[in-house]
Amino acid sequence: MAELQSTHYQMYINGKFMDSASGDVETVIDPSTGKKLWTAPAATIEEARAAVDAAWTAKNAWRRVPAPTRGAYLRKLATLVREHEDELVKILMLEQGKIHALAKIEIEFSADYFDYMANAARVYSGDVMQSDNENENIIIARQPIGVAVGIIAWNFPFFLIARKMGPALVTGNTIVIKPSSDTPGLALAFAKLVDEVGLPAGVANFVSGRGSIIGDDLAKNPKVGIISLTGSTASGKKVMAVAKMSLELGGKAPAIVAKDADIDLAVQAIFDSRIDNNGQICNNAERIYVQEDVADEFIKKMTAKMAAVKVGNPNTDSDAEMGPLINQGALDKVDGLVQRAVEAGGQIQTGGHPADIDGGFFYEPTVITNVAQDSEIVQNEIFEPVLPILTFKSIPEAIEMANDTVYGLTSSVYTRDLETASYVANEIEFGETYINRFNFEGIQGFHAGWKQSGVGGADGIHGVEEFTNTHVIYLQRHPENLK
């Protein structure tokens, strides 16, 4: 079995492990301590293009492999992921700062995702349509696009590989994976499993380096048929010149708590949706709208839960419920955001400061009230464990405030009334709405945002189809020529 953890990782291009010819490397920092973990190559533009060239050369042979055979490779990958689960969990905890329970879930969920996509090989399909013409069939076939590029965010550095690589490969595309510079080790460790499973050379390639250099070049490469990017809205706008894209971008998820809601359920679900992954998920509940009748009760209970969170280094403290932010920049950003909100009149109910733990990038779980709808803490994506709470009088008013954003990824509502739930679901302008549950999608769903939260989507059969082109075939028959 492959040994996954290393002090230095290599890229994987055209079936071979390699360093950058430039000798340049990136140093990966443990966000829990601020200390060096390992290094990874900083690829040149030429090496990024070599990865695309390898995928381009491999694509025609790969698309001719039967879909169930392509799916069998994904099933083997899922098996290897489960066999190496402990190693992968350890790398994820060190590199990204997840607590053990969530790191374990990410690895296991990713294995399940590869299995789901393997099964899709016999499920995704086209259509046969009725024609206006006699003796004609109209066939709408699903064909691979060609070369896919998966640009991976640091907050789910393993699952996002599965989310992009699984549907790309099963539909007959080849792929180049570019991990975040904050978390390249896990992707390059996974490349060892890709090599072990025996995928043909060039079908899956892993290239590490700075997004401003190789990410931009990958997005502009004319041989790339689809870019699948998970990242910021600003990053998404940079790749909009490509022929086809699937963009999972930022979010500013509202949670609406009606006066008839089960308050304890709402508090627990929103709490889980705020501190999960240390507050660093685009799905995280980012702003709370509570009906005035129950606002005091909700704020009191939410403040108590957030204040009780044990923040710690997940690699040394097994009881830690929340780990660090990804880097110093994230810590500085959230601290500035909160301090400016306080200067504008915001009231801190709990938290509001960095936490001094092991020299890492920790921030206290924070609840802040008395903030304005047009303030930056309500309008801009936070991506850290900070929860602004506002109040409303009527459900239509709550909808108006919830929709007052450039984002449109996830949303939630808490109510016992079917009329309220139905009204919110029909009026809210978001790609996903969770009713009386925490914010996290299912493999078989479709994770897609509106407005500046994305283009296209992922998961389920609709996510599989994102990696296909439609090919309409008009088949005219001439039965008079039959003999």
Side-chain angles (χ1 to χ4, degrees):
M1 292 174 65
E3 191 72 32
L4 299 189
Q5 193 167 341
S6 175
T7 57
H8 174 72
Y9 289 96
Q10 292 184 303
M11 299 182 292
Y12 185 67
I13 299 173
N14 203 25
K16 296 179 181 179
F17 290 97
M18 62 184 65
D19 288 313
S20 174
S22 70
D24 195 10
V25 297
E26 293 188 306
T27 299
V28 179
I29 300 300
D30 179 352
S32 296
T33 64
K35 296 179 180 179
K36 174 183 174 180
L37 284 172
W38 40 68
T39 55
T44 63
I45 287 176
E46 290 73 22
E47 287 157 345
R49 291 174 183 173
V52 172
D53 288 344
W56 178 268
T57 300
K59 70 181 177 64
N60 287 338
W62 181 245
R63 75 189 298 252
R64 295 187 184 105
V65 174
T69 303
R70 299 193 297 254
Y73 282 102
L74 298 181
R75 198 167 284 110
K76 291 176 184 176
L77 271 174
T79 298
L80 285 177
V81 168
R82 294 186 180 103
E83 290 176 358
H84 289 271
E85 179 181 312
D86 290 344
E87 295 169 88
L88 293 167
V89 166
K90 184 177 180 181
I91 296 169
L92 178 54
M93 291 175 67
L94 284 167
E95 193 172 54
Q96 197 260 318
K98 273 187 173 64
I99 63 173
H100 182 270
L102 293 179
K104 183 178 175 66
I105 287 171
E106 180 170 347
I107 301 304
E108 292 175 348
F109 191 75
S110 299
D112 291 346
Y113 202 91
F114 278 124
D115 273 337
Y116 179 90
M117 288 300 165
N119 293 332
R122 290 188 174 93
V123 175
Y124 82 95
S125 62
D127 295 287
V128 178
M129 310 300 293
Q130 299 302 317
S131 174
D132 293 345
N133 302 320
E134 185 178 357
N135 296 322
E136 183 177 69
N137 292 118
I138 302 174
I139 302 167
I140 302 178
R142 291 279 177 181
Q143 302 287 4
I145 295 170
V147 176
V149 166
I151 298 180
I152 309 299
W154 51 261
N155 61 331
F156 283 95
F158 197 75
F159 168 62
L160 291 173
I161 296 173
R163 178 178 259 177
K164 299 176 192 309
M165 183 173 170
L169 295 195
V170 80
T171 51
N173 302 280
T174 54
I175 194 165
V176 176
I177 295 289
K178 193 277 177 197
S180 166
S181 294
D182 286 307
T183 54
L186 193 60
L188 300 182
F190 175 66
K192 298 178 182 181
L193 303 185
V194 172
D195 186 67
E196 187 173 327
V197 88
L199 276 169
V203 169
N205 307 272
F206 293 76
V207 57
S208 56
R210 299 176 183 90
S212 59
I213 298 174
I214 65 168
D216 288 350
D217 194 73
L218 287 168
K220 297 172 184 175
N221 194 311
K223 292 181 179 178
V224 173
I226 178 172
I227 297 279
S228 179
L229 176 146
T230 301
S232 67
T233 298
S235 296
K237 289 179 178 179
K238 291 181 180 180
V239 304
M240 286 190 174
V242 300
K244 183 168 183 178
M245 65 209 123
S246 179
L247 306 178
E248 182 195 351
L249 307 178
K252 190 67 182 174
I256 297 173
V257 182
K259 62 185 178 183
D260 67 336
D262 180 331
I263 298 300
D264 290 334
L265 181 152
V267 167
Q268 185 64 53
I270 294 170
F271 168 80
D272 291 338
S273 298
R274 180 61 274 178
I275 71 159
D276 197 10
N277 200 31
N278 313 335
Q280 300 171 125
I281 310 179
C282 54
N283 286 8
N284 282 141
E286 284 256 348
R287 53 202 166 106
I288 312 305
Y289 298 102
V290 186
Q291 204 152 15
E292 290 179 345
D293 313 59
V294 293
D296 289 346
E297 179 186 2
F298 179 90
I299 292 169
K300 180 179 178 180
K301 289 182 174 181
M302 179 60 75
T303 299
K305 283 197 74 68
M306 293 283 275
V309 174
K310 183 174 184 183
V311 182
N313 182 340
N315 300 296
T316 58
D317 185 352
S318 60
D319 294 327
E321 298 172 282
M322 197 181 83
L325 303 181
I326 189 62
N327 54 35
Q328 185 67 50
L331 185 62
D332 293 342
K333 175 197 138 192
V334 68
D335 193 40
L337 191 69
V338 170
Q339 298 314 315
R340 289 190 297 276
V342 170
E343 290 169 4
Q347 297 175 357
I348 298 292
Q349 303 298 319
T350 187
H353 299 283
D356 185 10
I357 303 171
D358 293 351
F361 312 124
F362 297 88
Y363 199 81
E364 298 170 345
T366 299
V367 175
I368 184 168
T369 57
N370 199 42
V371 290
Q373 173 67 17
D374 61 356
S375 64
E376 63 172 338
I377 205 166
V378 174
Q379 291 295 322
N380 297 345
E381 186 175 33
I382 301 172
F383 222 61
E384 284 91 20
V386 174
L387 202 57
I389 301 178
L390 300 87
T391 62
F392 66 90
K393 296 181 183 298
S394 68
I395 295 297
E397 180 190 6
I399 291 290
E400 183 178 355
M401 290 193 292
N403 288 343
D404 176 28
T405 175
V406 298
Y407 297 106
L409 189 56
T410 70
S411 57
S412 59
V413 58
Y414 296 87
T415 177
R416 290 186 173 98
D417 181 56
L418 181 59
E419 182 72 28
T420 299
S422 178
Y423 177 81
V424 172
N426 279 278
E427 297 296 324
I428 205 159
E429 297 169 354
F430 290 79
E432 295 172 19
T433 300
Y434 301 95
I435 300 175
N436 294 326
R437 60 158 283 190
F438 68 102
N439 295 24
F440 203 80
E441 68 274 13
I443 291 175
Q444 68 275 41
F446 188 53
H447 184 57
W450 293 14
K451 297 186 273 191
Q452 292 188 27
S453 285
V455 176
D459 306 334
I461 198 63
H462 301 291
V464 171
E465 291 174 352
E466 289 287 302
F467 286 87
T468 65
N469 282 327
T470 55
H471 184 194
V472 184
I473 303 163
Y474 294 86
L475 178 59
Q476 181 70 60
R477 304 188 306 278
H478 297 275
E480 68 275 10
N481 295 330
L482 291 174
K483 296 181 180 179

